Amino acid sequence: TKTYLEDYAPPPVTVSHVALRFRLAPDATRVTARLTCERRGPGDMVLDGEALKTLRVALDGAKITPEIDGDRMILRETPDAFTLETEVEIAPEDNTELSGLYMSNGMYCTQCEAEGFRRITWMLDRPDVMATYEVEIESDLPVRLSNGDEVAPGHWRDPWPKPTYLFALVAGELVATSDRFVTSEGRDVALNVWVRPGDEGRTAYAMDALKRSMRWDEHVYGRAYDLSVFNIVAVDDFNMGAMENKGLNIFNSRYVLASPETATDADYANIERIVAHEYFHNWTGNRITCRDWFQLCLKEGLTVFRDQQFMQDMRSEAVQRIGDVMTLRARQFREDAGPLAHPVRPESFVAIDNFYTATVYEKGAEVIGMLRRIVGAEGYAAGCALYFERHDGEACTIEDWLACFEEACGADLGQFKLWYSQAGTPRLRARSEWADGIWRLHLSQSVPPTPGQENKAPMTIPLAFGLLAADGRELLPTRLHVMTGADDVVEIPRPERPVPSLLRGFSAPVILEDDLGDADRLVLLAHDTDPFARWESGRRLSKDRLMRHAAESTAFDAGWLDAVAAMAVSDADPAFRALALALPGEDDLAQSLHETGVVPDPDAIHATREAALAAIAGRLADDLDGLRASVATPGAYAPDAEAAGKRALAATLLRLTTRLDGGDAARAAYATADNMTDRMAAFTCRLEAGDPDAAAEFEAAWKDDRLVMDKWFMAQVAHAAPAEAVAVAERLTGHPAFDAKNPNRFRAVLGGLIAGNPAGFHAANGSGYRFVADWLVRLDRSNPQTAARMSSAFETRARWDADRQALMGEALGTMREGATSRDLREMVERMLG
Ligand code: ARG
Ligand code: ZN
C-alpha cells in the first residue's frame, strides 16, 4: 500500500513521554514500555508494531485486550490523558534486516530510521510525535548506552523531545576513546568513540573530526551542542553509512575506524564528512525534525549541504566542490534520467527506505546551495537563524523552511519551490553571440518528462558566469543571472569577443549544453579563475574525445593530448591536477552517449578509456617518473588534504605508467608502500596489469582485518578485465570470508561489479545481470533494505541495446518473481514501469 503526501493528518492522540525497560537476551529480549498519551483531536489511537510478541497491554494500569490488526494496534475511545503500558518480546539475534534492535558481533545495537522502532515495541512510529525518553537497560554487558544523559549505570534520560526514529540503544563489551569539548555556551561535554576491543587504535581521526565539527557548527551556524555527553559507536553490520540518534550516533565501522596502515585517504575524508554530517543533524534533523517522511530532504538535503560546506572549509573548496559535482552526476543525474526518478520531495511511497536516495540527499543539497546563492550569504544566515529560532522543538515541512527565507530575505520563492516537486535534470541551452560591441547569451531551459510527470514548468536557475579574453585575462568577474523563464537573453557590452565561463561553481544542478568550441575551452582550461569551470572545460574536452572514440573510433588528437600533458606538468595544486587527469567514467560516458542518440556499447566504452589512458601515458612517457617523484610524500603519513592530493596525483600517474611497463612500477610501489592509500593504488594497478600474485599477496598480509578485506574483495572485481569480472565475483562469493549477511562485504563484491566494473556487469551474455538478480533475491529474504537499494543497478535499462534491454528485463522479472519484501518489489515495479 502506498502512502501519499496529500493524505497527511496529525495523530489524534500523541505521546509526550516514553519510559522503556529492556531486559536484553539474544533470543528473547523483554521490552516494557510506558507511554504518556494525550488526546489532540477526535479519532482512534493507532500504534505501530512489527514482528513483536505482545505479552501484556494495560491502560491506566488496567489490563486490556486491544484490537491488533497485523502491524497496527487500534485503541478506540481512549481518555483525554492516559498511560499505556505494553510488554513485548523480540529476538535481536534473528533480526537480519538490521532494522530495529539487532546484534552485531555479540553487541546489541539499533537502527530506527525510518520505521525500525516499531520492531522494538508498540508506538506511534512517526516523526511528528516527539516525546522525552527514559530508558533502563538490564544486561550483564558492561557498556549500556542510550540517548541523553546517563543518570545511573544503564539508565538514561533524554530531556529533548524526539521522534522514535532517533531512539538508540547499544550494549556490549566496548572500549571508548574519550575526550572533552567545552561548548560556546560553556557546557562541558564528554565525548566517546566506542569500538570493539582491538580497534581502539583507530579512533583518533573520528574524534578529531567530531571536535572540529562541533566548533564549526558554533562558528558558522551558531549552533552549540545540548547534552553533557556525545557518544559515537562503531558497528560492523550496518545498512547505511551512519545514524544521527540523539546523543548516540551509530556508525558503520568503516566510517569510524582509520589508521594509516588500514585506511585510505578516501576513507579518512569519508570519516570526516560523515562524522560531521551526523553531528550536524543534531540541529538540522533532531532539534528541528520532519513532520512526515516526505519532508526527508528538509533534514538530509540541508545536512548534506552543511557537511559539504564543512569539508570545503576543512580542505580545498575547489577540490571538494568538483568531487561533490562528480558524485552528483554519477549517482543523481543517473537516477533522474531513469525509471526511479522522483522529486526531491517525493509525493508517494510504498517503503520509505527506498527514498534515501541521491535525489533526496545530493540534489536536496544542491537546492540549498542554489537558495544560498540566490538570497546571498547574509540572507542565508538570516533565514537559517529564523528557522532555528522559530521551529526549535518542532516537526516541520519544506514550506516552513522556505517561509523563513521569504520573511528574512523578502524573497519570493514560489517558483523556486518547483525544485522540490519537479523531478528530472533540467537542460540548459546556452548560445553565445558577439556583435556590434555587445555580447549576448541566449538561454533556454526545459525539464524532461519523468515517471508521473509529463509536462514541466520552467525553473528558477541561478547561473553564475564570468567572461575571459582570448588571451586568458578575466574581463568580467563572477556575476549571477537568475533565470526564471523558458527563454532568456543576457546582454553585456564588450568591445572584444569574450570567452564565456558558464555555470561557475556548478551553480545549478542542470545539464548545460553550450556552444563553446575547443579553442574557447582551452582558454578556460588554462586560465579560468573559477576552479570548477576550469576543471569542467577540461572535462568537456576529454568527454567529447572519448564519446567520439567510443561511437566512431575517432583517434585522439594531438591538441587534446598536449592540453592534458600541459595540465599534468602545470604548477596547479596536485589534487586539482589529479581531478583534471581523471577521465570521465564508463557510466557517465554511456549516459551521455545515450543522451546524444547513440546506443552505448559497454565494451567499446571500456576499450576507449583504456585507449585514452594508453595515449596519455604515451604522450607523457618521459615525464611520468619525474612527475611522480615530484609529488612524493616522504615521512610519516598524514591524512591532510595537501598530502592526500599528492598521493592522488601519484596514483593517477602510476596508473598511466602501468600502461607502459606492464606493472613493474606498481609492484615496486606495492613493496615499498607504508600506508593503505599508496598500497591500494599499487594493488589496483597490479590487478589491472593482470599480475597473478597480487591478490594472494594482499590476502596473506590482511586476511585478519575485516575492513581491509572489504577492499580486497571489491578491488578484485572492480579491476578485473570485464570479460572475467562476473567469474571473479562469482568465485569470491564462494570465498570462506564472504558473508552475505554483512552489508559491507556483500556490497564489496556485488557493488564492485555493478558500479566498479560496468563493462563486466553489462556482459553481453547477461551473466552479470543474472548473477546480481539471483543474489538480490537471496539477500531480500534476510535484508530487504540493502537488496532494494542495490537493485537500482538496473535503472539504466532504457539506455542499452535491445538485447541487453531484454536481458535486464529478464533479470528484473527474476527479482519480481523472487522478491519477498515490499522494498524490493516496489523498486522492481518502478523499474519495470
Ligand atoms: N539519517 C541517516 C543519515 O543520513 C540515514 C539513515 C537511513 N536509514 C534508512 N533506513 N534508510 O544520515
Ligand atoms: Zn543524514
Side-chain angles (χ1 to χ4, degrees), residues 113 242-244 277-278 281 284 296 299-301 303-304 307 356 361:
E113 186 177 8
M243 181 63 212
E244 69 264 24
H277 179 98
E278 306 310 333
H281 268 314
T284 52
L296 183 58
K299 73 176 178 83
E300 294 303 345
T303 305
V304 170
D307 82 49
Y356 285 72
Y361 276 65

Side-chain angles (χ1 to χ4, degrees), residues 811-833:
L812 284 162
T814 302
M815 292 193 289
R816 177 158 58 186
E817 294 279 291
T820 48
S821 73
R822 63 187 179 139
D823 305 57
L824 183 59
R825 207 169 306 123
E826 177 184 30
M827 294 294 280
V828 169
E829 254 142 41
R830 283 163 70 204
M831 284 186 279
L832 284 169

